Amino acid sequence: MNPKQIFYKTQAETIIQHLEKRRMKGYYCPTCADALKTAMSLTASGSTVSFGGSMTLMETGILDALKNRTDLHLIDRSLARTPEEIKQAYRDSFHTDTYFLSTNAITMDGQLVNVDGNGNRVAALIYGPDQVIVVTGMNKVVSTVEDAVRRIKTIASPPNCIRLNRKTPCAATGMCADCLGDDCICSQTVITRRSGIAGRIKVLLVGETLGY
Ligand code: SF4
């Protein structure tokens, strides 16, 4: 292992201890391949699964693997053809056995910090699916909740706005202007400091740079 890999592993071990105190379960996955293997092993055959929009799920190969599994009932809103079907897919996601998402940031003491525009992703994180699997690259580790919010506004949201073709100040200038316009993707800020149901939230810490 090179020094960066050792650093990521050491950081992850500390975070996992803190996640445990917060009734969440952490796993360190050195590579995307390890994360994919762990994610699939946690997804039972015959179960119902959904996911939030995430570059990390794409980059790890988890999204493709879920779509390719024939033993799952996958709720995939990208297949919805009408606004009604999209709305139904969002609602059905709350009744799943497993919901996948990434996090915008995770603190060294095990708190997840997410900012969401629509709110469906953070809503499912908070309540609904029996199991929530959070997949994150170690590039999203920060020291404090304040650092997490700063990271989201300066590093995560601007490229996400560009990806989603949103007409926001951060997409135009690279800098957050605390906007409130129609295209803003920063509606809800959710800090998950504890899981109400022990073990419901599982966090896969991947020793690679993933997502925004
Ligand atoms: S400019 Fe708006 S969308 Fe962009 S990071 Fe700031 S609040 Fe979020």
Side-chain angles (χ1 to χ4, degrees), residues 88-159:
Q88 193 59 48
Y90 277 136
R91 290 183 173 171
D92 289 346
S93 293
F94 291 113
H95 301 284
T96 50
D97 298 303
T98 300
Y99 189 86
F100 279 89
L101 73 158
S102 186
T103 186
N104 294 129
I106 180 167
T107 64
M108 280 300 295
D109 70 351
Q111 302 188 71
L112 308 174
V113 184
N114 282 285
V115 173
D116 209 359
N118 199 25
N120 60 291
R121 186 177 64 101
V122 291
L125 168 63
I126 294 169
Y127 186 81
D130 285 340
Q131 168 177 251
V132 175
I133 300 179
V134 179
V135 186
T136 182
M138 291 300 290
N139 54 304
K140 294 185 181 178
V141 172
V142 295
S143 297
T144 65
V145 168
E146 291 73 25
D147 290 339
V149 173
R150 198 173 306 116
R151 177 187 193 281
I152 294 165
K153 293 296 180 73
T154 57
I155 297 174
S157 289

Side-chain angles (χ1 to χ4, degrees), residues 8-154:
Y8 277 166
K9 184 171 179 288
T10 306
Q11 272 193 318
E13 284 166 0
T14 301
I15 295 168
I16 288 167
Q17 283 175 16
H18 285 286
L19 285 169
E20 207 69 43
K21 291 181 209 158
R22 298 178 185 280
R23 296 151 60 101
M24 295 183 264
K25 178 144 181 64
Y27 302 78
Y28 181 58
C29 308
T31 67
C32 286
D34 297 316
L36 178 59
K37 203 170 156 191
T38 304
M40 291 306 111
S41 72
L42 291 170
T43 313
S45 184
S47 62
T48 305
V49 178
S50 192
F51 55 90
S54 161
M55 288 300 294
T56 299
L57 294 180
M58 284 190 232
E59 290 167 0
T60 49
I62 291 172
L63 199 51
D64 279 343
L66 290 173
K67 289 180 180 181
N68 288 333
R69 271 182 66 169
T70 53
D71 62 334
L72 301 176
H73 174 55
L74 186 68
I75 297 169
D76 181 356
R77 71 176 182 276
S78 70
L79 301 178
R81 286 155 302 174
T82 64
E84 287 72 28
E85 285 182 5
I86 294 171
K87 194 164 143 185
Q88 193 59 48
Y90 277 136
R91 290 183 173 171
D92 289 346
S93 293
F94 291 113
H95 301 284
T96 50
D97 298 303
T98 300
Y99 189 86
F100 279 89
L101 73 158
S102 186
T103 186
N104 294 129
I106 180 167
T107 64
M108 280 300 295
D109 70 351
Q111 302 188 71
L112 308 174
V113 184
N114 282 285
V115 173
D116 209 359
N118 199 25
N120 60 291
R121 186 177 64 101
V122 291
L125 168 63
I126 294 169
Y127 186 81
D130 285 340
Q131 168 177 251
V132 175
I133 300 179
V134 179
V135 186
T136 182
M138 291 300 290
N139 54 304
K140 294 185 181 178
V141 172
V142 295
S143 297
T144 65
V145 168
E146 291 73 25
D147 290 339
V149 173
R150 198 173 306 116
R151 177 187 193 281
I152 294 165
K153 293 296 180 73
T154 57

